[in-house]
Amino acid sequence: MDRREFLKASAITGASATLAGCGHPEHQLIRFIPEEELVPGVATWKPSICPLCPAGCGLLVRVMEGDAEVVRNGQIGLIKMGLAKKLEGNPAHPISQGKLCVRGQAAIQITYHPDRLRHPLKRTGPRGAGAFQEVTWDQAIDELASKVGALAEANNQGALAFWMRPSRGQRRELVAQFLHRFGAPPPFSFELFGEDVLRRANALSFGREQLPTFDLARTRYVISFGADFLGTWNSPVSQNIGYGLMRQGRPGQRAKLVQLEPRMSQTGANADEWLPIRPGTEGVLALGLAHVILNGRMRSADAAGRAGTLVDGWMNGLPDFTLPHVETLTGIAAARVERIARELAESAPAVAIIGGAPLAQTNGLFHALAVNALNALVGSVETPGGVFFTPIPNASSKPDAAGERERRRQSAAPTLDKLAAGILSAERPPIQILLLDEANPVFAAPPAWRVKDALQKIPFIASFGNFLDETSILADLILPDHSFLESWVDDVPEAGTTMAVASVAPPVMKALHQTRAMPDVLLDVARRLPRLNPPLPWQTFEQMLRASFEALPARAAPQTTPGVQPAVDVWSKAQEQGGWWAETPAGTRPPPNVATRDPGRPVSFVAARFDGETNEYPFHFLPYASQAFLDGSLAHLPWLQELPDVVTTAMWSSWAEINPKTAERLQIAQGNVVEIASRHGSLRAPVLLSPGIAPDVIAMPVGQGHEHYTRYATGRGANPISLLAPIVEEETGALAWAATRVRVSRVVGADLQLILFAGALRERPHEHEGR
Amino acid sequence: MAVDLDRCTGCEACVTACHAENNIPTVGDTQAARGRALHWMRVERYWEGEFPDVRLKFRPVMCQQCDAAPCEPVCPTYAAHHTDEGLNAQVYNRCIGTRYCANACPYNVRFFNFFNPSWDKPLHLQLNPDVSVREVGVMEKCTFCVQRIKAAEVQAKAEDRSLKDGELKPACAQACPATALVFGDLNDPESEVSRLSRSPRGTKLLDDQGTQPKVTYLQRQSSE
Ligand code: SF4
Ligand code: SF4
Ligand code: SF4
């Protein structure tokens, strides 16, 4: 059959399926079609949720029949089954609105990854050597249950720990309830690019301990302090949608974007004005702007309410932030600061955004509180064109809300550095059993925290993750999870919409391998523990999800998708369209989700501290979330490895960005290999000359440099985290990942290659220039 | 197609969406270093100025579907040809790999298969059955997702109606979160793409080459 005939043939099947009366087969949401109902060549679309970042975009998955090679009971066979073919955004979903980011498009490669763990494994060789043998699910679950049971026998329940990626749905709630009933501490998360500083600031300023949502579509002016909100930060898809609208969505009205950052990010590239601010002084600039606005009587100090009172000197017009002083500290000319302040005050609605590196300084909380006060001053909090906080639906499943308890305990939870130090210093580690769910702190933590050494001391580690990485390779037992497309998934987005959203979706396809869903494995383990008190009330994760969604108010029953029979209840509707969501009635503000604590004395500017003396380590080191891999957790996907990074066009490799003038001074040329060294480590990478970086800054994307992470990422490039100093934000204890200083020297004779898409054989950029 | 450069953020969702839709293989580091990576859709970037007054501009580039396509007359086998609908099509079965067309195309959007594509199993299960996989020696490029165009046409015909504007999108435009990519019927003066193509911000890429590209780029604006 040639291509034309093939097209014709599939066209005919497509047409007859249509005539059979199901309307729009291309875009239908059907819950779980029995496989035999799949028509060869005709696609069905099912909802799911992108698991790659905390944004939680709703997906539609194109499912078609195909032949998959599977192993069942030791036999290889070919079965016809529904296979996911492509991911698109779910048009009905309030976050993704039918769109996805570059990473979400590639998420499908997780399910079909050749190096996925396909069955339970038990360690045979020494820890970390990667030698495992296959065991049955019964053996694996028995072993886990007996180890956990033994802890309870010994009355040592507190020595069970569960480390997972941050999430907010019922999956985490299940883990929390399990741990709570068992008597163990709540689940723990550590992320390199964690957002604790911003959450804390928002709790203090606005009583909302969560990430913000920006109404870009209706704003007229955006000033962003280091936030790569169009690339990798917060809720990129919804922010890109809003950006398109703020530029060209309203005839004759185009909002302005000002970006402040020492290295031009993808977002910075889109700015109308890009200002390389001195690292660690972002809040000074925000207060400089507020100073101009206050002293020019463009707004009054009490307009900022509580957020203003948190800043020292606010009510007196911020006398410490005069323009000359701001210029000296930030490196931004006084005249410019003044002009931007006036634009900001005159362009209502305007909004200020802070994210990324400024918060990862030792004085990060100050910057966030300063920007919050600026937003409050210009009247952009919870007003159109400003900053909002997504209402969180009360989807917490009965009978008791471990989540709430957990949240309270979490605020007093130890940080990873303290946990590791506690294990290393104790004769008998305070953690005897560690359960891992995709968390990879060995890769993501600075070497000085010695996380790997600490894990080596834990007597028993079990991992649920899909892949072997730097952390899970230390496991004694591996109970691999289904991929997200093979499981029940749920999520409660923290930001990105003004609607209350709880996403949920049934499995899109059958499991390819002999994996089991982590929540169901946990429930299985729980059933085997006699001492779980009270026992968990659900037999399956599906039951738990159902209970939580049935508890949601039906009044917010979402509008139905055209062509789909209206479903009868909240639960069926939610499954059908990929979640539950409800508009907040106009004019109502969601209530604060934290008690507004007394902040004590107001904050004032204290200069950021950096690790390393300026004369010995002359450069600021800026690791940044890469467009392809974020924090490195996506480096295993080949589409993302071969994605030309949009700012540099680099693929499959690591690189270090240096200002051309600096490079000239150091006699370094593009592609030369350099050694970058901090007080805590060194690495080698090829140099990429970038006009968009300050002369005293060296930047590197995070993501490569994995020791163990599938055939595509292992041994590729260098990990910038390995240079980071164990220095923290002083108020929150969060890692200050932008506070390390480095030195750079050329290495002759090293053969590390810079792989660029542009400038290689194909592209001749000069031909397009100037058109 | 119209590309609004004032909306495009360089997020590259379009790039991966194209890989997923059109069975574009990855080639790995060694071949990528030799300039053999295949990206029917790419986002070009241009630096202007010097630090600190630098600008970085993005431009998504795919086959411009030229009306006077220089890639067509040079093909000895009529593999590169014009369809009745005005698409520049590539018949893979006819292509004998002279690569004349790639030389003739001023936009560098044609990609040659230097070897047979491979997918480490079971990555091949993701392949889109509506799109043929190209073999060694064959030239390939953006098709405007002809398989999606066909499917939408068939659907509309089965329902005895004409296609609605915006009903059908190539994978890149479907993915684009900022709605920078707008696809539609240029023969319909009322369509969104026609409206955008008449914009005073509209330009064509390498207009002076006489290729008569069907893609209009709407220039980025400035607030200063
Ligand atoms: S922003 Fe991208 S990676 Fe994050 S959830 Fe959405 S599609 Fe997935
Ligand atoms: S852009 Fe290149 S490949 Fe496309 S029609 Fe024009 S000349 Fe041919
Ligand atoms: S998806 Fe849209 S916004 Fe993103 S790079 Fe492509 S054209 Fe630009």
Side-chain angles (χ1 to χ4, degrees), chain B residues 182-194:
Chain B
V182 175
F183 183 81
D185 186 358
L186 281 172
N187 298 323
D188 170 8
E190 299 300 307
S191 67
E192 179 72 0
V193 69
S194 296

Side-chain angles (χ1 to χ4, degrees), chain A residues 100 240 266 627 646, chain B residues 3-4 7-15 41-43 58-60 62 172-173 175-181:
Chain A
L100 291 181
N240 268 275
Q266 182 205 325
Q627 181 182 35
V646 81
Chain B
V3 182
D4 191 339
R7 283 178 180 258
C8 173
T9 65
C11 76
E12 297 201 277
C14 50
V15 176
M41 165 63 102
R42 65 170 177 262
V43 181
F58 299 131
R59 182 193 293 276
M62 74 310 288
C172 55
C176 177
T179 324
L181 305 172

Side-chain angles (χ1 to χ4, degrees), chain A residues 87-345:
Chain A
L87 310 182
E88 294 187 353
N90 179 350
H93 195 271
I95 305 282
S96 65
Q97 300 167 54
K99 304 297 182 175
L100 291 181
C101 80
V102 57
R103 299 169 292 276
Q105 287 284 347
I108 195 166
Q109 289 197 315
I110 288 178
T111 301
Y112 299 125
H113 201 290
D115 295 338
R116 248 183 85 182
L117 297 168
R118 298 173 184 218
H119 41 66
L121 293 168
K122 192 175 157 69
R123 178 167 66 84
T124 51
R127 262 215 179 144
F132 294 94
Q133 77 181 40
E134 183 174 349
V135 291
T136 66
W137 271 103
D138 277 346
Q139 288 168 324
I141 292 175
D142 276 348
E143 170 153 5
L144 182 57
S146 75
K147 293 270 184 201
V148 175
L151 267 194
E153 290 300 317
N155 222 356
N156 193 14
Q157 288 92 333
L160 175 67
F162 199 112
W163 292 4
M164 63 196 302
R165 304 213 65 173
S167 60
R168 294 162 309 270
Q170 294 300 306
R171 183 184 173 96
R172 189 186 186 88
E173 178 70 17
L174 175 63
V175 173
Q177 297 240 9
F178 172 84
L179 294 173
H180 172 67
R181 284 155 204 245
F182 184 73
F188 171 79
S189 300
F190 169 79
E191 296 284 289
L192 173 65
F193 299 118
E195 298 285 2
D196 290 348
V197 177
L198 190 52
R199 285 197 194 96
R200 172 78 68 87
N202 290 342
L204 289 169
S205 302
F206 309 122
R208 304 289 303 183
E209 191 167 25
Q210 70 185 93
L211 295 178
T213 300
F214 306 101
D215 184 9
L216 298 175
R218 289 189 286 179
T219 199
R220 283 180 59 209
Y221 200 93
V222 179
I223 179 164
S224 155
F225 298 81
D228 183 20
F229 65 91
L230 298 174
T232 52
W233 183 74
N234 198 4
S235 192
V237 170
S238 66
Q239 286 153 191
N240 268 275
I241 294 171
Y243 177 85
L245 292 167
M246 87 175 214
R247 292 304 207 178
Q248 292 293 334
R250 297 160 298 183
Q253 243 200 62
R254 179 180 184 275
K256 178 170 179 175
L257 169 60
V258 179
Q259 180 88 1
L260 295 127
E261 56 190 5
R263 176 240 168 216
M264 189 180 274
S265 63
Q266 182 205 325
T267 305
N270 291 292
D272 301 289
E273 210 170 332
W274 177 78
L275 300 169
I277 190 169
R278 201 162 286 148
T281 66
E282 290 80 358
V284 172
L285 190 88
L287 295 187
L289 297 169
H291 174 94
V292 175
I293 293 172
L294 289 171
N295 289 282
R297 310 243 177 280
M298 289 174 263
R299 296 285 195 285
S300 83
D302 27 292
R306 179 183 169 77
T309 60
L310 297 180
V311 176
D312 193 31
W314 184 269
M315 294 317 274
N316 306 328
L318 296 165
D320 291 347
F321 295 89
T322 58
L323 288 175
H325 190 50
V326 170
E327 171 170 336
T328 316
L329 288 172
T330 62
I332 310 289
R336 222 165 181 166
V337 179
E338 176 155 27
R339 174 176 52 75
I340 293 174
R342 291 188 181 281
E343 287 176 1
L344 197 58

Side-chain angles (χ1 to χ4, degrees), chain B residues 67-89:
Chain B
D67 272 339
C71 59
E72 290 168 7
V74 297
C75 178
T77 62
Y78 300 99
H81 72 286
H82 232 63
T83 68
D84 296 342
E85 286 171 316
L87 281 183
N88 168 269

Side-chain angles (χ1 to χ4, degrees), chain A residues 582-669:
Chain A
E583 204 74 71
T584 355
T588 58
R589 275 187 192 198
N593 58 4
V594 283
T596 13
R597 279 169 278 176
D598 177 24
R601 76 194 152 78
V603 290
S604 44
F605 175 65
V606 178
R609 287 189 302 109
F610 296 94
D611 184 275
E613 290 303 320
T614 322
N615 47 8
E616 207 181 336
Y617 299 96
F619 298 99
H620 290 284
F621 184 61
L622 177 66
Y624 62 90
S626 73
Q627 181 182 35
F629 313 132
L630 291 179
D631 56 0
S633 51
L634 311 182
H636 59 330
L637 303 182
W639 283 342
L640 296 179
Q641 282 282 357
E642 202 155 300
L643 178 80
D645 173 77
V646 81
V647 173
T648 63
T649 83
M651 307 174 274
W652 289 106
S653 54
S654 279
W655 65 90
E657 292 169 30
I658 300 186
N659 182 292
K661 291 255 162 63
T662 309
E664 200 183 313
R665 187 165 54 76
L666 299 174
Q667 299 190 321
I668 296 171

